[in-house]
Amino acid sequence: NAGVMQNPRHLVRRRGQEARLRCSPMKGHSHVYWYRQLPEEGLKFMVYLQKENIIDESGMPKERFSAEFPKEGPSILRIQQVVRGDSAAYFCASSPPTNRGTGELFFGEGSRLTVL
Amino acid sequence: EDKVVQSPLSLVVHEGDTVTLNCSYEVTNFRSLLWYKQEKKAPTFLFMLTSSGIEKKSGRLSSILDKKELFSILNITATQTGDSAVYLCAVPNTNAGKSTFGDGTTLTVKP
């Protein structure tokens, strides 16, 4: 049973370009979460999605950032017109519906975005 | 706003030492507290605590929750260099499925 798969693992972009990060949840998991981790900091919640629905995007910046989890295919976190401050590790996590109350998350290995 | 605070932020010990990591929280609608270990990549699950006073144990690691004083501790006995990692404490928000994480404790175990 494959774990949470994220790609790319590393992404380098110049200021103003777009970054697209992909996440395939574990088999049987229908809940996807995106977290951002800056150096020397903990994980900060960005967005929580179920298939075709954004449940909570309270942690996501209002501009330039968007996320989706289509009926088919991986979840995508999209950052438009990247700036240096977007450089971070972006972690995707998934959970099955039955874990929703206790909150255990299964994490991917992260996508490290570097903005030059 | 939910808040999770971990201490110390970093800790350096020698192999064989025992360490105690702390996590305090202020959240609405508490259901559980989770500990994760992060070694340069994906955080991996260690423990989930829901009840006060019941110790969870896995090998040399153990953890306990105090819901009255709103904190949890993670103990590691007879530390090994492989225990070097960032230990994260998290409290889920049951309404939205998201979790609030502390900033982590970076543990370095020297040989």
Side-chain angles (χ1 to χ4, degrees):
Chain A
N1 187 12
V4 178
M5 305 300 291
Q6 288 189 248
N7 70 82
R9 293 290 307 281
H10 300 276
L11 183 63
V12 179
R13 286 286 178 265
R14 296 190 181 280
R15 278 180 296 169
Q17 292 184 319
E18 179 179 287
R20 281 193 184 218
L21 311 177
R22 294 173 194 78
C23 169
S24 296
M26 282 181 73
K27 190 176 179 181
H29 288 192
S30 56
H31 299 245
V32 165
Y33 313 81
W34 285 93
Y35 285 81
R36 177 163 65 176
Q37 188 174 39
L38 295 169
E40 311 300 324
E41 291 188 14
L43 294 156
K44 300 290 187 242
F45 169 80
M46 297 182 74
V47 62
Y48 162 34
L49 309 107
Q50 296 178 24
K51 284 283 186 183
E52 299 184 282
N53 281 311
I54 296 175
I55 307 302
D56 182 342
E57 56 182 346
S58 59
M60 202 147 71
K62 294 286 184 282
E63 296 178 355
R64 302 188 299 108
F65 285 73
S66 62
E68 62 177 10
F69 188 16
K71 188 176 178 182
E72 302 290 338
S75 175
I76 295 175
L77 179 67
R78 183 180 176 207
I79 312 172
Q80 295 178 287
Q81 299 175 327
V82 296
V83 300
R84 287 217 175 102
D86 297 332
S87 296
Y90 292 84
F91 286 93
C92 173
S94 71
S95 70
T98 52
N99 274 9
R100 188 168 167 226
T102 54
E104 181 183 346
L105 298 172
F106 298 79
F107 283 89
E109 299 208 338
S111 291
R112 277 158 180 79
L113 172 65
T114 302
V115 180
L116 302 177
Chain B
E1 186 178 322
D2 294 349
K3 193 173 171 186
V4 176
V5 177
Q6 291 186 245
S7 65
L9 289 182
S10 64
L11 193 54
V12 180
V13 300
H14 288 93
E15 273 192 315
D17 289 349
T18 293
V19 297
T20 298
L21 310 182
N22 303 291
C23 174
S24 64
Y25 60 90
E26 292 176 30
V27 300
T28 53
N29 300 317
F30 178 87
R31 290 280 295 272
S32 62
L33 182 146
L34 292 93
W35 286 95
Y36 293 85
K37 179 182 181 183
Q38 186 177 22
E39 298 172 89
K40 295 188 186 291
K41 44 185 182 179
T44 53
F45 170 78
L46 292 175
F47 297 112
M48 180 174 67
L49 303 155
T50 56
S51 302
S52 273
I54 298 175
E55 187 183 51
K56 291 278 183 98
K57 208 166 163 60
S58 176
R60 295 175 294 101
L61 277 68
S62 63
S63 185
I64 198 160
L65 176 68
D66 186 327
K67 288 165 76 172
K68 184 179 175 187
E69 300 296 330
L70 308 182
F71 77 91
S72 173
I73 59 172
L74 175 68
N75 278 321
I76 309 175
T77 58
T79 51
Q80 302 171 357
T81 54
D83 295 327
S84 296
V86 176
Y87 290 85
L88 296 166
C89 173
V91 178
N93 177 319
T94 56
N95 292 329
K98 66 186 184 186
S99 291
T100 300
F101 280 79
D103 283 345
T105 292
T106 301
L107 174 65
T108 303
V109 181
K110 294 189 170 181

